[in-house]
Amino acid sequence: MELISLVIPVFFEEENIKACYSRVKTALQSLPFQKQEIIFVDDGSKDRTLPLLKEIVNIDSSVKIISFSRNFGHQTAVTAGLKRCRGDVVVILDADLQDPPEFISTMLTKWREGYKVVYAVRTKRKENIAKRLAYAGFYRILQRLSDIPIPLDTGDFCLMDKVVVQHLNSMPERNRFVRGLRSWVGFRQVGIPYERDRRRAGEVKYTLPKLIKLAIDGLFSFSQFPLRLTTLFGLIVSSLSFVGGLIAVVLKYTDIYTPRGWTSTLVIVFFLGGIQLIAIGIIGEYVGRIYDEVKQRPQYVVEEEINF
Ligand code: UDP
Ligand code: MG
């Protein structure tokens, strides 16, 4: 076997860099590859992450660095790493050692059996209950609504054949949900269960707003269900109002009841106003995405590339 590439996005990981590097390096040494490259993508860290990485490059020529001009986000960092890697086999993992690098050898056996994508499925998450529930809920909703099957409880930790990476790289879309795109590519894919460790050191870098963006990207990039939902709402409400209108006309001509009607009018106006705003918001999500795509901006700006 020829070359294995690792893509590791890093953002403010000064406490983890050295430990991550040495554990990854040891794990790689036990694998039957002639060559290896470890690509760290520095997603605009302002701490000592980049200087530490440069120290590592000086002693190990298999390490490469892509450094962004600012923080572009984890999915974009992964995308940049995938663009530049040249391995026959490519692995994506986190720098905080939540994804055990020793697991790569297990993934590799599946790849040898002919699977083009081997992704890790989290059986246990050592995180707080609110976060675990949110994740579990999100993946289940996504699986229901998505136009293609996206496996439950899987993140970006995976091993891919270079064929899959080439297809991922050929996709120009900007708001990337990498684990979804990976499923979209197809070929033979398999998940293997693992226990996700705790973050080795430091704070979580995926803050709540970033997680929400990820969830929205996943949902809206892989499903048109929200749009259909607005049509459905529209149909239900207009049938109801048709019936309501008929009743009103009948009442007027039969003289049974002459309504004062202030409250009911207000309720209807509020209700319809709410539904219309939701519908506009949902359409706005898609329009915003179209706008992002037509602007044709590059997905990220590289400040420095080292050792390529
Ligand atoms: N990360 C990144 N850019 C960001 C946020 C996170 O490159 O804007 C990296 C981070 O350094 C780590 C990985 O993405 O290597 C996962 O982040 P984190 O551990 O904070 O999130 P988790 O997935 O564990 O919730
Ligand atoms: Mg983590």
Side-chain angles (χ1 to χ4, degrees):
M1 273 177 280
E2 283 288 320
L3 174 68
I4 181 169
S5 302
L6 260 62
V7 173
I8 311 180
V10 287
F11 182 52
F12 284 88
E13 299 287 5
E14 59 181 8
E15 300 113 314
N16 292 320
I17 284 295
K18 285 268 160 90
C20 172
Y21 164 72
S22 50
R23 198 161 140 203
V24 161
K25 194 73 189 173
T26 321
L28 282 182
Q29 248 128 34
S30 65
L31 299 177
F33 285 94
Q34 285 151 20
K35 281 188 275 168
Q36 40 182 258
E37 63 176 4
I38 308 174
I39 303 178
F40 285 100
V41 186
D42 175 32
D43 189 10
S45 312
K46 298 239 152 38
D47 61 353
R48 287 189 34 77
T49 302
L50 189 58
L52 287 174
L53 284 175
K54 286 179 177 169
E55 282 174 25
I56 297 173
V57 175
N58 284 336
I59 53 163
D60 185 346
S61 60
S62 67
V63 175
K64 301 174 177 184
I65 307 173
I66 301 172
S67 132
F68 282 175
S69 61
R70 64 168 173 86
N71 180 237
F72 281 91
H74 170 252
Q75 298 290 300
T76 311
V78 169
T79 303
L82 291 180
K83 272 258 152 68
R84 296 298 264 126
C85 69
R86 292 171 39 245
D88 303 291
V89 167
V90 178
V91 175
I92 302 172
L93 53 85
D94 284 355
D96 57 2
L97 291 172
Q98 282 195 286
D99 307 326
E102 298 75 25
F103 200 63
I104 297 173
S105 81
T106 318
M107 292 170 141
L108 210 56
T109 54
K110 284 288 172 194
W111 176 75
R112 280 208 205 86
E113 287 170 22
Y115 291 98
K116 295 278 187 271
V117 175
V118 187
Y119 52 84
V121 183
R122 302 151 179 161
T123 48
K124 247 190 218 159
R125 262 179 182 278
K126 292 165 188 156
E127 260 135 357
N128 67 47
I129 178 97
K131 206 169 175 183
R132 290 213 310 266
L133 280 178
Y135 272 108
F138 168 70
Y139 281 112
R140 273 144 196 88
I141 291 174
L142 182 65
Q143 202 188 37
R144 275 284 166 96
L145 300 188
S146 161
D147 302 328
I148 53 151
I150 296 179
L152 290 174
D153 304 321
T154 59
D156 292 322
F157 184 28
C158 68
L159 180 149
M160 291 181 281
D161 190 274
K162 72 163 181 269
V163 176
V164 175
V165 177
Q166 276 159 9
H167 286 288
L168 283 178
N169 288 343
S170 72
M171 294 180 195
E173 64 186 89
R174 257 138 265 266
N175 296 298
R176 291 175 96 81
F177 186 63
V178 177
R179 58 202 77 166
L181 297 173
R182 188 181 70 202
S183 299
W184 184 91
V185 171
F187 296 106
R188 289 178 70 199
Q189 309 207 355
V190 67
I192 34 183
Y194 82 118
E195 268 188 34
R196 190 161 160 88
D197 291 331
R198 230 178 269 281
R199 170 173 261 281
R200 201 192 82 90
E203 295 282 302
V204 177
K205 306 302 180 302
Y206 245 108
T207 51
L208 191 63
K210 283 183 177 172
L211 272 182
I212 292 174
K213 178 179 187 302
L214 181 72
I216 291 178
D217 277 348
L219 212 56
F220 284 85
S221 308
F222 286 91
S223 173
Q224 301 205 356
F225 180 79
L227 277 179
R228 288 187 203 122
L229 198 69
T230 59
T231 317
L232 191 71
F233 267 146
L235 282 176
I236 293 173
V237 171
S238 46
S239 340
L240 285 180
S241 37
F242 181 73
V243 175
L246 275 185
I247 294 175
V249 172
V250 170
L251 286 182
K252 183 173 165 69
Y253 287 103
T254 48
D255 241 10
I256 299 171
Y257 173 60
T258 359
R260 276 165 289 154
W262 183 76
T263 318
S264 58
T265 312
L266 265 197
V267 169
I268 290 169
V269 168
F270 281 148
F271 179 65
L272 282 183
I275 286 194
Q276 278 163 357
L277 283 181
I278 293 172
I280 292 172
I282 291 175
I283 295 166
E285 273 297 329
Y286 290 98
V287 175
R289 262 147 234 280
I290 297 170
Y291 184 49
D292 265 351
E293 298 298 333
V294 293
K295 274 190 285 193
Q296 291 284 318
R297 267 185 210 153
Q299 288 172 44
Y300 50 85
V301 176
V302 173
E303 185 168 336
E304 238 181 318
E305 276 190 358
I306 300 168
N307 209 13
F308 278 94

